[in-house]
Amino acid sequence: MTTPGPSFTGVIPPAITPLTDDGDVDVASLERLVERLLEGGVHGIFALGSSGETVFLTDPQRDRALEVIVKTVGGVAPVIAGCIEPTTPRVLERVHASQHLGADAVVVTAPFYALVGPHEVERHFRAVAAAADLPLLAYDIPVCVHTKLSVDLLTRLAADGVLAGVKDSSGDDVAFRQLLLAVRESGAAPAFSALTGHEVVVDAMMLAGAHGSVPGLGNVDPHGYVRLHNACVNGHWETARAEQDRLTQLFRIVGAADPATTAGATRGVGAFKTALSLLGVIDSNAVSLPMRRLDETETGRVRAELVEAGLL
Amino acid sequence: MTTPGPSFTGVIPPAITPLTDDGDVDVASLERLVERLLEGGVHGIFALGSSGETVFLTDPQRDRALEVIVKTVGGVAPVIAGCIEPTTPRVLERVHASQHLGADAVVVTAPFYALVGPHEVERHFRAVAAAADLPLLAYDIPVCVHTKLSVDLLTRLAADGVLAGVKDSSGDDVAFRQLLLAVRESGAAPAFSALTGHEVVVDAMMLAGAHGSVPGLGNVDPHGYVRLHNACVNGHWETARAEQDRLTQLFRIVGAADPATTAGATRGVGAFKTALSLLGVIDSNAVSLPMRRLDETETGRVRAELVEAGLL
Amino acid sequence: MTTPGPSFTGVIPPAITPLTDDGDVDVASLERLVERLLEGGVHGIFALGSSGETVFLTDPQRDRALEVIVKTVGGVAPVIAGCIEPTTPRVLERVHASQHLGADAVVVTAPFYALVGPHEVERHFRAVAAAADLPLLAYDIPVCVHTKLSVDLLTRLAADGVLAGVKDSSGDDVAFRQLLLAVRESGAAPAFSALTGHEVVVDAMMLAGAHGSVPGLGNVDPHGYVRLHNACVNGHWETARAEQDRLTQLFRIVGAADPATTAGATRGVGAFKTALSLLGVIDSNAVSLPMRRLDETETGRVRAELVEAGLL
Amino acid sequence: MTTPGPSFTGVIPPAITPLTDDGDVDVASLERLVERLLEGGVHGIFALGSSGETVFLTDPQRDRALEVIVKTVGGVAPVIAGCIEPTTPRVLERVHASQHLGADAVVVTAPFYALVGPHEVERHFRAVAAAADLPLLAYDIPVCVHTKLSVDLLTRLAADGVLAGVKDSSGDDVAFRQLLLAVRESGAAPAFSALTGHEVVVDAMMLAGAHGSVPGLGNVDPHGYVRLHNACVNGHWETARAEQDRLTQLFRIVGAADPATTAGATRGVGAFKTALSLLGVIDSNAVSLPMRRLDETETGRVRAELVEAGLL
């Protein structure tokens, strides 16, 4: 964790949280999922992120999922734990739980629901870092929290040692490129990890200077994302592009659910879980309320894409 | 709860949650606040709403605040309890806690953080109502959850007996008027309570057909809001307007905090708490992180408005 | 124009612009429309507003429509002319044309398409006022221009004599109430006209202190809006509310077009034109591209509402 | 124009429109600008885009600017002309003018100001294409028009021959990657040109499959963008990245204007014009109202970046 370079690099999939049909955490399925990710060569696991249904789980469920992931990983790769709550006091509860359960770093968004401005956002990250004994990564996901973390703020927090990195799910590649440049220039933050959360542009963002990726689709095809990462690191950009194109095609599973009756959360997590159950990795494609699981017709569409991608 | 008219009418202030300087719930201050509201003639209390810092409090703090409010009210008026969480399973945890602690109704927003669409939102409210043993009110607050509850959805849920009412903090008075008309016409929902959350247009929304109000500013001047409500109910509209104009002026306390360094949450709750501490009702104007309490200069601005309003 | 009170009060409908099936301005229909509005007792006409399809018309069409309206009104009521263009130089072109054609005032929005901030918006209104020889009203319509005119800005421009009034289509009744109070207090702007553009809450906004309304639906039922206005002015609030409820019901014609294949512009203007053609006031319900006219089924829904309202 | 590949590729800068201090089109400066772009090796010119202040110019000014650009280019490269108006009839006026003045293609956004939905947007592009005698490119710029053109819509319009290409200024690189894949697969659109409008991620988007770029900053450093483009086309990705990093640094000139008193439009166009006047290419950094020109302090910041980039 104290190497001269960024601590968190490579492919770090945001693990989904398998559920039983009764809504409990499906421990055996989660163990199989993590083992398959590790066999695929991933460089870390992001537990309790958006793909992990973290805002749908109760605190005991979150604790259970994180405990299983940490134990199954067994120290061979870092586990970074999402602490996704609306405000500072509630985030700190999750930070302390994550530390206790053995996470290697925590990931925190800007406040949400609460109406905050730039000063409150900065105070939030500084207060969390001050109270945490683990490295802190910012999770920039305006589509969920409705605040974009500015390049200036992230650079300042990096330079001050508040942040060990960022998971960028902002969709704002212009700002991400400017951040990469600013952090590089600041000099004060050689260990800052810039990870892209957008699974269909990993090649492009790696060319732009990212250190790794947090691809939801990596739950389904970890091997592909590891090949993609390695190609980028080795400067084999045409190979990377071809692999990325294949994965972009596979990403169409998120279009399997009927758009007239489902929205973002259901379509993404629902598709990843359906694919993983078709692949025999997890037992059920059950998702939390108010989402619904993909039905038979929709499952058929996922199956077709898996076949097309050579995974089934 | 089975009267022919709406169950929840009149002035139902969203009680702030007083905190000690250490961040604990200040029980003595909360008791004094509730007693003053009741002496002011309010018709109910909304516990753990946005003004109550509900998304800043831990579950034990929420439980403590609700317990104190229920006990202090002592059954003389209904206590409706906010169950503000991002998704169905987490809301249900709070619904069960609220029932156990003696609330008379629960108030629930659309899901937030999670990316949902109309089908997920409807499934959410239906699932909560099915699992709750108390009347359910919808809290329409798009500025926080980034989903507007449509007139069609609210009318359908009212007609189906899912919702006992709505607290409208949408700022969309056009939709609110259309809702009032639609619910009246549906006939199936004679007991539906339509409450406005906008403290500066209560007279106008009462003229439009609202049954009551949930004014954050009512923490500070409950007597004024009760006079305003009574004037509306008795058709004394010019009196109502004059009282509303006075209260609209008083509402300027939310402009006391420096806009360059504070945003919505801090400015509203921070001002209400500062006013209440100046009035001697609560001990401290402390607020939760990442907000900050109003400083001396800002407190001076609040004091000036209280004097202007004849409260100090 | 120099009376002690506001210059523009009462019901000032935003006249639709009738088109022939070939897309030309239908002069005879427009004359009939204006004559009926005047017979209905309206206090002014707003030409070339959003309901007038102003952003769909070429400059010669705009000139023709304004010319016909001014001539038909014949000086018995003020004609205020929309000058709706993205930026200052283009607005000034329309201001000069409007002056030349005999308008009594001009109505201007914040810049749109161009990415501007508060300083550019203020500079825009000041530059327009400085170059105009007619009173200037601000048109606050964030749903179209994506900038809300703040209470502070409007009050400052009113106090400085830049603005003679505002047409509020912001849907933000909280800000509107605060504006009414601020302008009243400023003292410097006794002649400032605050007009609401929301046809379903005119009673409420008049109670709140508005001086009049600019109701799109007033094209269809001018008599109803004049009755409503008079009831408000005379303090007959229950009468006003009943009339408003009737008009709110009639406003459902904007729901006649299939929501799966039409959006806001088509649904509003399309419905008003369809109603007016059913009432025999205009010849065709043709609308500009890319809108489409209401079809037979949709027209049937409009007819049913007109019958229900006693207009047909 | 009928080659098997896309018709519009390479670096196609959106030419700024130099103005005199009186607000007229500065013809001599515009000629010098275009000549310098051509000497820099650009592959085309985009006239009357957002950087060209098109929504600030009157129609005669637009005609004059396009005329000068077409004449100066003299047929050695394609000139594509922005036809940026809110609705179909007004766009068609500009399309016809552009054809008459010798443009090689037209570029059109989704409707703006008017409240439209997907059906109206599709009808808009189809109606424009049907009436135009030139290739039509879609301009996807939601930050200005507040509608994102969906991957499905663009692919369908490409397959139907309605669109010859897209200028993507959406900032949504995920959708852009999906579009590139979809268009490639559709087979029906081999000649579709996908151009990125984001000057700081050209390398990344070229890796992702873009055919070229429309960089506002290309006004200032056309040689850099041509080197960048050539590196990408030749698969020299590390070279491309280094050039892009240099240009990303140079792009900081858009941060020169004081953010407390200026917004997007002023900051971008104002900086490009200031840089070009410092470089001696144009005479004045004057911009249209309600923007303001950069002041001396701000100009100093632009100068510093030009020196840093080796341009001055």
Side-chain angles (χ1 to χ4, degrees):
Chain A
M1 293 291 154
T2 54
T3 56
S7 302
F8 306 98
T9 64
V11 180
I12 305 177
I16 58 106
T17 306
L19 299 176
T20 67
D21 290 349
D22 293 336
D24 295 324
V25 174
D26 178 346
V27 171
S29 289
L30 181 53
E31 289 170 345
R32 285 197 302 273
L33 173 74
V34 172
E35 283 161 7
R36 180 166 174 266
L37 292 175
L38 294 173
E39 286 164 16
V42 304
H43 308 85
I45 305 276
F46 176 26
L48 300 174
S50 303
S51 296
E53 289 174 75
T54 189
V55 294
F56 297 86
L57 303 178
T58 63
D59 283 340
Q61 288 178 311
R62 291 168 171 179
D63 290 348
R64 187 74 178 122
L66 180 54
E67 186 179 43
V68 170
I69 290 173
V70 167
K71 188 177 162 203
T72 309
V73 169
V76 305
V79 175
I80 64 180
C83 298
I84 315 293
E85 285 284 346
T87 59
T88 317
R90 291 184 65 88
V91 166
L92 286 178
E93 280 199 315
R94 295 310 309 160
V95 167
H96 295 138
S98 302
Q99 288 178 180
H100 179 72
L101 292 165
D104 296 297
V106 289
V107 186
V108 171
T109 69
F112 51 96
Y113 188 92
L115 299 173
V116 295
H119 284 77
E120 283 93 351
V121 173
E122 181 157 357
R123 197 178 295 128
H124 179 66
F125 282 110
R126 290 189 184 275
V128 171
D133 292 329
L134 293 177
L136 169 64
L137 288 88
Y139 190 174
D140 193 14
I141 186 161
V143 73
C144 290
V145 304
H146 302 276
T147 294
K148 170 83 183 82
L149 301 177
S150 73
V151 172
D152 280 355
L153 173 64
L154 289 170
T155 306
R156 191 164 58 245
L157 293 177
D160 289 355
V162 172
L163 292 182
V166 66
K167 186 210 161 184
D168 178 66
S169 295
S170 72
D172 185 343
D173 58 334
V174 168
F176 191 57
R177 181 59 164 268
Q178 292 172 323
L179 174 66
L180 292 166
L181 191 64
V183 167
R184 211 149 60 218
E185 285 187 357
S186 78
F192 188 83
S193 299
L195 309 172
T196 179
H198 292 294
E199 55 261 270
V200 312
V201 289
V202 173
D203 58 344
M205 292 305 104
M206 290 294 288
L207 178 63
H211 305 109
S213 58
V214 185
L217 187 63
N219 281 284
V220 178
D221 193 357
H223 302 83
Y225 277 98
V226 170
R227 284 195 299 270
L228 167 55
H229 181 77
N230 290 339
C232 294
V233 167
N234 294 317
H236 300 157
W237 296 105
E238 312 291 342
T239 304
R241 166 158 62 181
E243 188 68 45
Q244 180 67 78
D245 277 349
R246 195 186 64 84
L247 290 163
T248 301
Q249 163 80 34
L250 177 60
F251 189 64
R252 289 185 183 169
I253 60 173
V254 308
D258 181 357
T261 60
T262 57
T266 301
R267 295 165 69 72
V269 174
F272 297 156
K273 286 191 158 180
T274 299
L276 286 165
S277 64
L278 287 169
L279 292 171
V281 180
I282 68 175
D283 286 347
S284 165
N285 70 344
V287 292
S288 309
L289 277 172
M291 300 189 286
R292 68 159 173 81
R293 70 173 71 196
L294 269 58
D295 65 22
E296 209 172 321
T297 305
E298 295 164 337
T299 298
R301 291 188 198 117
V302 173
R303 185 184 290 110
E305 292 288 356
L306 292 176
V307 170
E308 173 87 15
L311 295 179
L312 203 68
Chain B
M1 294 294 153
T2 55
T3 56
S7 302
F8 306 99
T9 63
V11 179
I12 306 176
I16 58 104
T17 306
L19 298 176
T20 67
D21 290 348
D22 294 337
D24 295 324
V25 175
D26 178 347
V27 171
S29 289
L30 181 53
E31 289 169 345
R32 285 197 301 273
L33 173 73
V34 172
E35 282 161 8
R36 180 167 174 266
L37 293 176
L38 295 173
E39 286 164 14
V42 303
H43 309 84
I45 304 276
F46 176 26
L48 300 174
S50 304
S51 296
E53 289 174 75
T54 190
V55 295
F56 297 85
L57 304 178
T58 62
D59 283 340
Q61 287 178 311
R62 291 168 171 179
D63 290 347
R64 187 75 179 119
L66 180 54
E67 186 179 42
V68 170
I69 291 174
V70 167
K71 188 176 162 206
T72 309
V73 169
V76 304
V79 174
I80 63 179
C83 298
I84 315 293
E85 285 283 345
T87 59
T88 318
R90 291 184 66 89
V91 166
L92 286 179
E93 281 199 314
R94 294 309 309 160
V95 167
H96 295 137
S98 302
Q99 289 178 178
H100 179 71
L101 292 164
D104 296 297
V106 290
V107 186
V108 170
T109 69
F112 52 94
Y113 188 93
L115 300 173
V116 296
H119 284 78
E120 284 92 351
V121 173
E122 182 157 356
R123 197 178 293 127
H124 179 65
F125 282 109
R126 290 188 184 276
V128 171
D133 293 329
L134 293 177
L136 170 63
L137 288 88
Y139 190 173
D140 192 16
I141 186 160
V143 73
C144 290
V145 304
H146 302 276
T147 294
K148 170 82 184 81
L149 302 177
S150 73
V151 172
D152 280 356
L153 173 62
L154 288 171
T155 306
R156 190 163 59 246
L157 293 177
D160 290 355
V162 171
L163 292 182
V166 66
K167 186 211 162 182
D168 178 66
S169 295
S170 73
D172 186 343
D173 57 337
V174 168
F176 189 58
R177 181 60 165 266
Q178 292 173 322
L179 173 65
L180 292 167
L181 191 65
V183 167
R184 211 149 59 217
E185 285 187 358
S186 77
F192 188 83
S193 299
L195 308 172
T196 179
H198 293 294
E199 54 262 271
V200 312
V201 290
V202 173
D203 58 345
M205 292 305 104
M206 290 294 288
L207 178 62
H211 304 109
S213 57
V214 186
L217 187 63
N219 281 284
V220 179
D221 193 356
H223 303 83
Y225 277 98
V226 170
R227 283 193 300 269
L228 167 55
H229 181 77
N230 290 339
C232 293
V233 166
N234 293 316
H236 300 156
W237 296 105
E238 312 292 341
T239 304
R241 166 159 60 181
E243 188 69 46
Q244 180 68 78
D245 277 348
R246 194 186 64 83
L247 291 163
T248 302
Q249 162 81 33
L250 177 60
F251 190 64
R252 289 186 182 167
I253 59 173
V254 308
D258 181 356
T261 60
T262 58
T266 301
R267 295 164 69 69
V269 174
F272 297 155
K273 285 191 160 181
T274 299
L276 286 165
S277 63
L278 288 169
L279 291 170
V281 180
I282 67 174
D283 285 348
S284 165
N285 70 344
V287 293
S288 308
L289 278 172
M291 300 189 286
R292 68 159 172 81
R293 71 173 71 195
L294 269 59
D295 65 22
E296 207 172 324
T297 305
E298 296 165 337
T299 297
R301 292 188 199 118
V302 173
R303 184 183 292 110
E305 291 289 355
L306 292 176
V307 170
E308 172 87 15
L311 295 179
L312 205 68
Chain C
M1 294 294 154
T2 54
T3 56
S7 301
F8 305 98
T9 64
V11 180
I12 306 177
I16 60 105
T17 306
L19 298 175
T20 67
D21 290 348
D22 294 337
D24 295 325
V25 174
D26 179 345
V27 172
S29 289
L30 181 53
E31 289 170 345
R32 283 197 301 273
L33 173 73
V34 172
E35 283 161 7
R36 180 167 173 265
L37 293 176
L38 294 173
E39 287 164 17
V42 304
H43 308 85
I45 304 277
F46 177 24
L48 301 174
S50 304
S51 296
E53 288 175 75
T54 191
V55 295
F56 297 85
L57 304 178
T58 62
D59 283 340
Q61 288 178 311
R62 291 168 170 180
D63 291 347
R64 187 72 178 122
L66 181 55
E67 187 179 41
V68 170
I69 290 173
V70 167
K71 188 176 161 205
T72 309
V73 169
V76 304
V79 174
I80 63 179
C83 298
I84 315 293
E85 285 284 345
T87 59
T88 318
R90 293 183 65 89
V91 166
L92 286 178
E93 280 198 315
R94 295 309 309 159
V95 166
H96 295 137
S98 301
Q99 289 178 178
H100 179 72
L101 292 164
D104 296 296
V106 290
V107 186
V108 170
T109 70
F112 52 94
Y113 188 92
L115 300 173
V116 295
H119 283 79
E120 283 92 352
V121 173
E122 182 157 356
R123 197 178 292 127
H124 179 66
F125 282 110
R126 290 188 183 276
V128 171
D133 293 329
L134 293 177
L136 169 63
L137 287 88
Y139 190 174
D140 193 14
I141 186 162
V143 73
C144 290
V145 304
H146 302 276
T147 294
K148 170 81 183 84
L149 301 176
S150 72
V151 172
D152 280 356
L153 173 63
L154 289 170
T155 306
R156 191 164 58 245
L157 293 177
D160 289 355
V162 172
L163 292 182
V166 66
K167 186 212 161 180
D168 178 65
S169 295
S170 72
D172 186 342
D173 57 336
V174 169
F176 190 56
R177 180 60 163 267
Q178 292 172 323
L179 174 66
L180 293 167
L181 191 65
V183 167
R184 211 148 59 217
E185 285 188 357
S186 78
F192 188 82
S193 299
L195 309 171
T196 180
H198 293 292
E199 54 262 271
V200 312
V201 289
V202 173
D203 57 346
M205 292 304 105
M206 291 293 289
L207 178 62
H211 305 108
S213 58
V214 186
L217 187 64
N219 282 283
V220 179
D221 192 357
H223 302 82
Y225 277 97
V226 170
R227 282 193 302 268
L228 167 55
H229 181 77
N230 290 338
C232 294
V233 166
N234 294 317
H236 300 156
W237 295 106
E238 312 291 342
T239 305
R241 165 157 62 180
E243 188 69 44
Q244 181 67 79
D245 277 348
R246 195 186 63 83
L247 290 163
T248 302
Q249 162 80 34
L250 177 61
F251 190 63
R252 291 185 180 168
I253 60 174
V254 308
D258 181 358
T261 60
T262 58
T266 301
R267 296 165 69 71
V269 174
F272 297 155
K273 285 190 158 181
T274 300
L276 287 165
S277 64
L278 287 169
L279 291 170
V281 179
I282 68 174
D283 285 348
S284 164
N285 70 343
V287 292
S288 307
L289 277 171
M291 300 187 286
R292 67 159 173 81
R293 70 172 72 194
L294 269 59
D295 66 22
E296 208 172 323
T297 305
E298 297 164 338
T299 298
R301 290 187 199 119
V302 174
R303 184 183 292 110
E305 292 288 356
L306 292 176
V307 169
E308 173 86 15
L311 294 179
L312 204 67
Chain D
M1 293 293 157
T2 54
T3 56
S7 301
F8 306 98
T9 64
V11 180
I12 307 177
I16 58 104
T17 306
L19 298 176
T20 67
D21 291 348
D22 294 337
D24 295 325
V25 174
D26 178 346
V27 172
S29 289
L30 181 53
E31 289 170 345
R32 285 198 301 272
L33 173 74
V34 172
E35 282 161 7
R36 179 166 173 267
L37 293 175
L38 294 173
E39 287 164 15
V42 304
H43 307 86
I45 305 276
F46 177 26
L48 300 175
S50 303
S51 296
E53 288 174 76
T54 188
V55 295
F56 297 84
L57 304 178
T58 63
D59 283 340
Q61 288 177 311
R62 291 168 172 179
D63 290 348
R64 187 73 179 121
L66 180 54
E67 187 179 42
V68 170
I69 290 173
V70 167
K71 189 177 162 202
T72 310
V73 170
V76 303
V79 174
I80 64 179
C83 298
I84 315 294
E85 285 284 345
T87 59
T88 318
R90 291 184 66 89
V91 165
L92 287 178
E93 280 199 316
R94 295 309 310 160
V95 167
H96 295 137
S98 302
Q99 289 179 179
H100 179 71
L101 292 165
D104 296 296
V106 289
V107 186
V108 171
T109 70
F112 52 94
Y113 187 92
L115 299 173
V116 295
H119 284 78
E120 283 93 351
V121 173
E122 181 156 358
R123 196 177 295 126
H124 178 67
F125 282 110
R126 290 189 184 276
V128 171
D133 292 329
L134 293 177
L136 169 65
L137 288 89
Y139 190 174
D140 192 15
I141 186 161
V143 73
C144 290
V145 305
H146 302 277
T147 295
K148 170 81 183 84
L149 301 176
S150 73
V151 173
D152 280 355
L153 173 63
L154 288 171
T155 306
R156 189 163 61 245
L157 293 177
D160 289 355
V162 171
L163 292 182
V166 67
K167 184 209 162 182
D168 179 66
S169 295
S170 72
D172 186 344
D173 57 335
V174 168
F176 190 57
R177 181 59 164 268
Q178 292 173 322
L179 174 66
L180 292 167
L181 191 65
V183 167
R184 210 149 61 216
E185 286 187 357
S186 79
F192 188 83
S193 299
L195 309 172
T196 180
H198 293 293
E199 54 261 270
V200 312
V201 289
V202 173
D203 58 345
M205 292 304 104
M206 290 294 288
L207 179 63
H211 305 109
S213 58
V214 186
L217 188 62
N219 281 284
V220 179
D221 192 356
H223 302 83
Y225 277 98
V226 169
R227 284 194 301 269
L228 168 54
H229 182 77
N230 290 339
C232 293
V233 166
N234 293 317
H236 300 155
W237 296 105
E238 313 291 343
T239 305
R241 166 158 61 181
E243 188 69 45
Q244 180 68 77
D245 277 348
R246 194 186 64 83
L247 290 164
T248 302
Q249 163 80 35
L250 177 60
F251 189 65
R252 290 185 181 168
I253 58 173
V254 308
D258 181 357
T261 60
T262 58
T266 301
R267 295 165 69 72
V269 174
F272 298 156
K273 286 190 158 181
T274 299
L276 287 165
S277 63
L278 287 169
L279 292 171
V281 180
I282 67 174
D283 286 347
S284 164
N285 70 344
V287 292
S288 308
L289 278 173
M291 300 187 287
R292 67 160 172 79
R293 71 173 71 196
L294 269 58
D295 65 23
E296 209 171 322
T297 305
E298 297 164 337
T299 297
R301 292 188 199 117
V302 173
R303 185 184 290 111
E305 292 287 355
L306 292 176
V307 169
E308 173 87 14
L311 294 179
L312 203 66

